Amino acid sequence: MFRPFAALLGAFATLGLAATAQAQPTADTVAAIRARGELVCGVTGVTAGFSLPDSQGVMRGLDADGCRQVAAAILGDGNKVRFVLTTSQNRFPALQSGEVDMLVRNTTWTLGREAALGLEFASINFYDGTGFMVKKSLGVTSARQLDGASVCVQPGSTTELNLTDYFRANKLRLNPLVIENLEELRAAFISGRCDVFTTDASSLAAFRFSQGANADQYLLLPEIISKEPLGAAVRKGDWRFFDIVRWAHFAGLTAEEMGITQANVMSFADNQNPDVQRFMGRSGDLGKMLGLSPDWAVNVIKSVGNFGEMWERSITPLGVQRGINNLWTKGGLQYAPPMR
């Protein structure tokens, strides 16, 4: 299930709330999740491939499955998630205030967000970068040709900063059209209110995919102008929850390395490989160390499969190559530390 978040919008300035959040005692998020019987997870809810309801109202996508990984680890059931829709501006107040337990919503890990907002990034589920999209009819093939262009961009995002920096560094004139609501921003681009749409390249690909038969009208320019490691954010200081969120992601990567899938996970129960035995909870005390059941990693894989399965289900249909998001054994950056 999911619902929009609006209670705190306009109530606090982001940095002011951050100071308050850091001054308060750290809550026991795991205990709260167990008491209510569900994880409350902040997502966009409007981005194909990451978090978007299907025709049955079920939230689908890489970020949505990231929430399910954590619910499965803590509660043994990846379906025990309540999805809360957040925007680029209200997502951090939602997390700081405890309105959501965690954020998995195309959010970039930066020094400023960790140091100033009282947050910690526990994992990276998508290595991304800021890109540009135009209509092919504009006749533009490079971002260097955007001098004087009007650009649709969301406020309160790293994209807004990257856009300003890029245009200044390349001595280009910029006419930004700033709109907070992502769907309104997309509509403005489609209607021609701006020449260019900029955000994470993955979100641009998702938008293009969502246009169906009209997708060929849009062109992703070749320039990627920033590093955008997207991942799960939690409140600073609640280290037990932080560890669980981090290692739930690593469990998906480890399973992919081992060839463990949603369909075959239980066939590994009697495998004598020591690494597999620890993963399955048949030896060692990994679950106990995290305050979880011995089969917590098995529950993660039963719920959503390994990371490769999550990617194939959600991102591959967008036409996005896995590239640097591949496992380290295949030339990518996704690398899980040893589970021992």
Side-chain angles (χ1 to χ4, degrees):
M1 60 186 296
F2 61 95
R3 62 184 176 84
F5 168 77
L8 294 176
L9 185 59
F12 299 98
T14 299
L15 291 179
L17 184 55
T20 301
Q22 292 185 58
Q24 294 175 346
T26 302
D28 187 341
T29 306
V30 176
I33 291 168
R34 285 176 171 152
R36 78 170 82 94
E38 64 179 4
L39 170 77
V40 184
C41 199
V43 296
T44 66
V46 296
T47 305
F50 290 87
S51 58
L52 183 72
D54 64 14
S55 60
Q56 304 301 313
V58 178
M59 195 68 73
R60 301 295 186 188
L62 192 70
D63 287 350
D65 282 348
C67 302
R68 293 188 177 98
Q69 285 180 315
V70 178
I74 296 173
L75 300 171
D77 185 347
N79 293 317
K80 293 183 177 180
V81 180
R82 173 156 48 96
F83 294 100
V84 174
L85 276 57
T86 59
T87 70
S88 61
Q89 288 196 310
N90 69 26
R91 56 184 164 173
F92 297 129
L95 179 57
Q96 291 162 334
S97 70
E99 178 75 11
V100 300
D101 299 317
M102 60 185 290
L103 285 177
V104 196
R105 61 153 331 277
N106 305 90
T107 297
T108 302
W109 182 358
T110 70
L111 184 154
R113 287 173 174 175
E114 280 200 340
L117 299 184
L119 311 179
E120 292 284 354
F121 283 79
S123 62
I124 299 172
N125 69 350
F126 199 107
Y127 290 91
D128 208 348
T130 297
F132 299 97
M133 176 177 284
V134 297
K135 292 180 180 178
K136 289 182 179 178
S137 59
L138 192 64
V140 170
T141 58
S142 168
R144 297 296 183 92
Q145 299 172 286
L146 297 179
D147 186 37
S150 56
V151 184
C152 281
V153 62
Q154 281 187 296
S157 64
T158 54
T159 301
E160 188 178 22
L161 299 174
N162 296 332
L163 173 67
T164 302
D165 289 347
Y166 181 81
F167 270 66
R168 181 182 296 119
N170 289 281
K171 297 180 172 58
L172 302 174
R173 292 167 296 162
L174 172 63
N175 295 306
L177 177 60
V178 180
I179 300 175
E180 179 183 358
N181 183 280
L182 183 57
E183 291 177 304
E184 291 179 14
L185 190 72
R186 292 167 175 167
F189 174 63
I190 291 172
S191 68
R193 291 178 59 195
C194 57
D195 303 312
V196 186
F197 178 21
T198 184
T199 186
D200 294 336
S202 61
S203 292
L204 293 175
F207 163 76
R208 186 176 183 275
F209 173 80
S210 71
Q211 298 307 297
N214 294 323
D216 285 343
Q217 296 180 17
Y218 303 101
L219 175 68
L220 274 164
L221 299 182
E223 290 85 359
I224 300 296
I225 65 170
S226 70
K227 295 185 294 184
E228 305 294 326
L230 311 179
V234 300
R235 288 179 290 276
K236 190 184 291 290
D238 192 347
W239 299 116
R240 181 163 68 130
F241 186 53
F242 173 90
D243 287 345
I244 292 170
V245 174
R246 166 169 283 182
W247 284 96
H249 172 67
F250 287 154
L253 295 178
T254 301
E256 185 180 3
E257 288 184 25
M258 292 178 172
I260 299 174
T261 69
Q262 191 172 30
N264 71 16
V265 59
M266 293 314 300
S267 69
F268 283 79
D270 296 323
N271 188 297
Q272 296 305 303
N273 182 306
D275 289 332
V276 174
Q277 284 287 294
R278 284 190 290 269
F279 184 91
M280 299 296 294
R282 298 305 177 96
S283 67
D285 293 316
L286 300 184
K288 183 178 180 180
M289 293 175 189
L290 291 169
L292 302 174
S293 66
D295 61 348
W296 67 274
V298 173
N299 291 332
V300 170
I301 306 308
K302 281 184 176 180
S303 176
V304 296
N306 65 42
F307 185 75
E309 291 179 283
M310 292 165 57
W311 184 279
E312 288 296 320
R313 188 166 55 239
S314 299
I315 306 301
T316 297
L318 303 181
V320 176
Q321 298 298 312
R322 191 158 173 192
I324 61 173
N325 286 288
N326 228 316
L327 292 178
W328 65 285
T329 54
K330 298 180 179 179
L333 298 177
Q334 292 290 357
Y335 184 109
M339 293 181 65
R340 62 178 59 175

